[in-house]
């Protein structure tokens, strides 16, 4: 069997001021995609499963960018064209038996609010009905029936942090093989709930208990998959919401019934998703009172992983004003300051204007004088989520300002694990407070070492206070924005 592998993955925050061009995408073509084997990513999982089953792989194009603004139309048209051309070429060289796609689910292109629907329809139109097409997606997708009808199976990761991407991709490959061996056609129903789910981890609380119900529902005979798409609330499109996506072995009524049943369960528990937000001052008070060290504090509202710039100064400013001791912050994105530190060298003392340069929303620049303690090229291997994948933060520097070790990076990324700290010689377990920018992915790398995790929700593009964003295109009424919302 020959399995084509392709993907365009982007979580689009339509509130970002700049569009995302092609050059912001990491792009792998042809055989270079095979380098992802052995990583705990979707494409890595698909490659490994194909290898285990002895399937031949036809790698076409895989491209992914940090969450950011709406994708430029030109960039998407180019990637889509390459995938379609690659499939045509692949078919000319021998029959393609199945297609695996890595998608996100929350991709928005200039003029196209449903990237995944558009792409999967075009692929289906090209290859016809006979070829199985499955996809592994991020649970933050705002997915549509259009996409589901073009695919034979849509497997969202179950976990947030997304530590099961590779396992879900493996299931997507298995479904292709199952279809080819047993000659059946799955059906998928997408049930959308008028509910914006704030980013919610599945490691604890309502996220964990709800996930358990979804996974239990998969045990019903004839059910292939139940995917709970939390949706991505930082986007102003008609498709925004929560989604239950059920795939069965051909029974459409069963898929719809089960999806509606799970959607009602989610809706009835909605109040438990309403987030409690602490300001940076409240969060730091809570950290001071906490006996278990280190306290790990995530500034949820400036998460590059949701499209925020990562250069916000709200939390760091509060820490400096309090003159906190034995604390570290990893990291603030500011390529200018990182370069300044690299030019000055280890041992130098430099005066900088740090952060808050991208917009007026994430604070004002901090005027600081700091000692350059360590420098690093920013290239590292991911240790927890996406384990084994490469990550480049650009030049990074460790500046010591009073009792705070501040890490400055050059490229936008959230903090996933202790990699950036290790790179500049910081053992986080020796600190009282470890601050970082992330919504929940950091939990995969920090939950075991943290005495306590406390979330600071400062003003920012990925605040938990999702009702603050203007909504011109979303279907209304919508929970928690409108009292009239109903399901
Ligand atoms: Zn996600």
């Amino acid at each position: 069997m020959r399995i084509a592998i392709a993907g365009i993955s982007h979580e689009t925050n339509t509130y970002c001021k700049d569009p995302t061009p092609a050059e912001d995408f990491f792009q792998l073509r042809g055989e270079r995609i095979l380098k992802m084997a052995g990583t705990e990513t979707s494409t890595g999982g698909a490659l490994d499963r194909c290898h285990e089953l002895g399937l031949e792989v036809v790698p076409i194009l895989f491209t992914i960018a940090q969450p950011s603004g709406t994708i430029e139309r030109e960039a998407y048209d180019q990637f889509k064209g390459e995938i379609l051309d690659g499939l045509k070429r692949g078919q000319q060289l021998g029959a393609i038996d199945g297609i695996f796609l890595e998608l996100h689910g929350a991709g928005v292109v200039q003029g196209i609010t449903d990237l995944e629907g558009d792409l999967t329809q075009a692929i289906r139109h090209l290859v016809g009905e006979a070829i199985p097409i499955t996809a592994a997606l991020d649970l933050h997708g705002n997915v549509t029936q259009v996409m589901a009808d073009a695919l034979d199976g849509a497997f969202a990761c179950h976990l947030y942090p997304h530590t099961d991407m590779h396992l879900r991709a493996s299931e997507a490959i298995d479904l292709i093989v199952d279809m080819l061996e047993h000659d059946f056609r799955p059906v998928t129903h997408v049930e959308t709930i008028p509910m914006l789910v704030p980013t919610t981890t599945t490691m604890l609380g309502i996220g964990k208990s709800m996930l358990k119900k979804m996974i239990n529902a998969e045990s019903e005979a004839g059910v292939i998959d139940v995917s709970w798409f939390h949706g991505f609330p930082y986007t102003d499109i008609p498709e925004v919401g929560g989604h239950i996506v059920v795939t069965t072995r051909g029974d459409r009524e069963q898929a719809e019934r089960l999806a509606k049943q799970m959607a009602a369960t989610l809706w009835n528990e909605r109040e438990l998703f309403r987030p409690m937000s602490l300001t940076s001052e409240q969060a730091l008070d809570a950290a001071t009172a906490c006996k278990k060290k280190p306290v790990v504090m995530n500034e949820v509202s400036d998460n590059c992983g949701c499209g925020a710039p990562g250069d916000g100064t709200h939390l760091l400013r509060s820490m400096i004003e309090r003159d906190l001791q034995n604390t570290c912050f990893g990291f603030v994105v500011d390529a200018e300051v990182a370069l300044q530190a690299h030019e000055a060298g280890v041992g130098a003392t430099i005066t900088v204007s740090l952060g808050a340069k991208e917009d007026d929303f994430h604070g004002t620049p901090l005027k600081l004088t700091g000692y350059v303690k360590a420098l690093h090229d920013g290239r590292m291997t991911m240790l927890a989520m996406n384990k084994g994948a490469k990550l480049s933060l650009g030049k990074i520097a460790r500046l010591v300002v009073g009792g705070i070790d501040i890490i400055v990076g050059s490229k936008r990324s959230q903090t996933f694990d202790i990699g950036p700290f290790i790179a500049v010689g910081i053992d986080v377990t020796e600190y009282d407070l470890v601050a970082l920018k992330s919504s929940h992915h950091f939990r995969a790398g920090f939950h075991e070492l943290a005495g306590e995790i406390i979330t600071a929700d400062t003003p920012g593009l990925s605040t938990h206070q999702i009702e603050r964003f203007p909504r011109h295109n979303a279907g209304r009424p919508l929970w928690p924005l409108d009292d009239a919302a109903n399901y």
Side-chain angles (χ1 to χ4, degrees):
M1 283 181 203
R2 297 175 82 229
I3 310 292
I5 292 191
I8 303 176
S9 178
H10 190 248
E11 185 178 74
T12 307
N13 184 328
T14 63
Y15 296 102
C16 295
K17 65 180 168 50
D18 296 321
T20 303
E23 56 264 31
D24 282 6
F25 280 81
F26 172 71
Q27 302 167 35
L28 290 176
R29 292 178 170 78
E31 299 286 309
R32 290 190 63 210
I33 293 173
L34 304 181
K35 285 184 181 174
M36 293 179 73
T39 63
E40 293 184 357
T41 60
S42 295
T43 296
L47 289 168
D48 289 350
R49 189 63 179 150
C50 286
H51 183 70
E52 278 167 22
L53 298 174
L55 309 176
E56 188 186 336
V57 169
V58 183
I60 296 173
L61 169 73
F62 171 66
T63 184
I64 187 167
Q66 275 291 335
S68 51
T70 302
I71 302 167
E72 286 185 359
R73 183 60 179 262
E74 209 178 10
Y76 172 66
D77 286 347
Q78 177 201 325
F79 297 147
K80 176 183 168 186
E82 276 190 57
I83 291 174
L84 296 175
D85 287 347
L87 288 169
K88 273 187 236 166
R89 247 192 336 274
Q91 283 177 316
Q92 284 159 7
L93 296 171
I96 284 179
D97 300 297
I99 299 170
F100 167 83
L101 301 172
E102 175 172 343
L103 303 171
H104 185 284
V108 180
V109 181
Q110 291 169 335
I112 303 171
T113 55
D114 179 14
L115 180 159
E116 294 78 14
D118 181 82
L119 180 67
T120 53
Q121 263 193 322
I123 293 172
R124 176 60 77 196
H125 183 71
L126 176 76
V127 302
E129 289 298 319
I131 295 182
I133 310 173
T134 62
L137 298 105
D138 188 297
L139 62 75
H140 290 110
N142 293 308
V143 294
T144 62
Q145 191 65 50
V146 171
M147 178 198 79
D149 287 344
L151 292 170
D152 293 300
F155 296 81
C157 57
H158 284 315
L159 304 176
Y160 184 25
H162 307 331
T163 48
D164 63 335
M165 293 281 213
H166 57 307
L167 303 175
R168 303 291 280 151
S170 180
E171 288 185 58
I173 295 292
D174 286 350
L175 178 57
I176 293 175
V177 175
D178 193 4
M179 285 176 67
L180 292 170
E181 287 180 348
H182 300 104
D183 192 24
F184 70 99
R185 187 109 239 170
V187 292
T188 301
H189 180 84
V190 177
E191 187 68 16
T192 296
I193 310 133
M195 176 178 171
L196 297 177
V197 181
T199 55
T200 304
T201 182
T202 56
M203 289 179 83
L204 43 94
I206 183 62
K208 186 177 180 181
S209 60
M210 191 58 61
L211 175 62
K212 199 170 169 208
K213 288 176 187 165
M214 302 290 170
I215 290 177
N216 285 345
E218 285 189 345
S219 61
E220 189 175 302
V223 175
I224 294 170
D225 185 68
V226 176
S227 280
W228 168 27
F229 285 88
H230 299 205
F232 185 61
Y234 306 104
T235 187
D236 189 21
I237 56 170
E239 297 86 350
V240 72
H243 316 269
I244 307 294
V245 177
V246 176
T247 303
T248 67
R249 295 185 80 84
D251 187 337
R252 189 167 289 282
E253 186 278 327
Q254 182 189 26
E256 185 173 346
R257 174 183 52 76
L258 196 54
K260 284 190 154 72
Q261 191 183 318
M262 288 295 110
T265 305
L266 186 63
W267 176 257
N268 291 337
E269 303 270 28
R270 65 192 178 283
E271 281 304 324
L272 297 173
F273 287 90
R274 204 183 278 276
M276 293 279 292
S277 283
L278 300 180
T279 64
S280 53
E281 296 303 330
Q282 291 167 329
L284 290 173
D285 285 347
T288 305
C290 186
K291 296 279 180 287
K292 290 180 282 181
K293 308 291 181 190
V295 172
V296 175
M297 184 173 291
N298 63 310
E299 190 173 23
V300 62
S301 39
D302 186 24
N303 176 12
C304 294
C306 285
D311 76 340
T313 54
H314 291 298
L315 176 59
L316 181 57
R317 181 179 295 281
S318 297
M319 289 167 63
I320 291 169
E321 284 172 359
R322 287 184 180 221
D323 192 25
L324 294 181
Q325 300 299 305
N326 200 34
T327 61
C328 54
F329 197 113
F331 51 92
V332 178
V333 181
D334 190 327
E336 279 174 26
V337 170
L339 181 62
Q340 197 181 336
H342 276 252
E343 285 177 350
V346 170
T349 295
I350 56 174
T351 298
V352 302
S353 171
L354 178 66
K357 291 169 185 165
E358 287 298 314
D359 55 40
D360 300 329
F361 202 35
H362 298 84
T364 51
L366 286 163
K367 309 285 181 216
L368 301 173
T369 297
Y371 174 77
V372 183
K373 181 80 175 170
L375 302 168
H376 191 271
D377 69 1
R379 291 183 198 166
M380 51 196 78
T381 301
M382 296 178 76
L383 303 170
M385 193 179 112
N386 288 344
K387 192 174 176 182
K390 301 291 179 206
L391 179 69
S392 173
L393 304 179
K395 286 184 170 62
I396 63 175
R398 171 180 172 189
L399 299 180
V400 182
V401 177
I404 309 176
D405 282 291
I406 304 168
I407 305 175
V408 182
S410 296
K411 291 187 183 172
R412 290 179 59 243
S413 172
Q414 66 185 297
T415 298
F416 290 93
D417 52 49
I418 58 173
F421 295 91
I422 295 172
V424 290
I426 290 176
D427 176 355
V428 293
T429 63
E430 293 179 353
Y431 286 72
D432 292 335
L433 174 66
V434 179
L436 52 84
K437 293 170 185 282
S438 176
S439 296
H440 291 288
H441 286 332
F442 75 100
R443 290 178 187 273
F446 288 87
H447 80 282
E448 279 179 3
L449 62 86
E452 188 94 42
I453 290 175
I454 297 173
T455 298
D457 194 359
T458 63
L461 212 44
S462 55
T463 172
H464 268 159
Q465 295 168 50
I466 47 181
E467 63 279 9
R468 291 189 167 198
F469 293 83
R471 311 259 170 197
H472 304 294
N473 302 310
R476 304 294 285 268
L478 201 55
W479 185 92
L481 282 56
D482 307 307
D483 292 339
N486 202 5
Y487 173 73

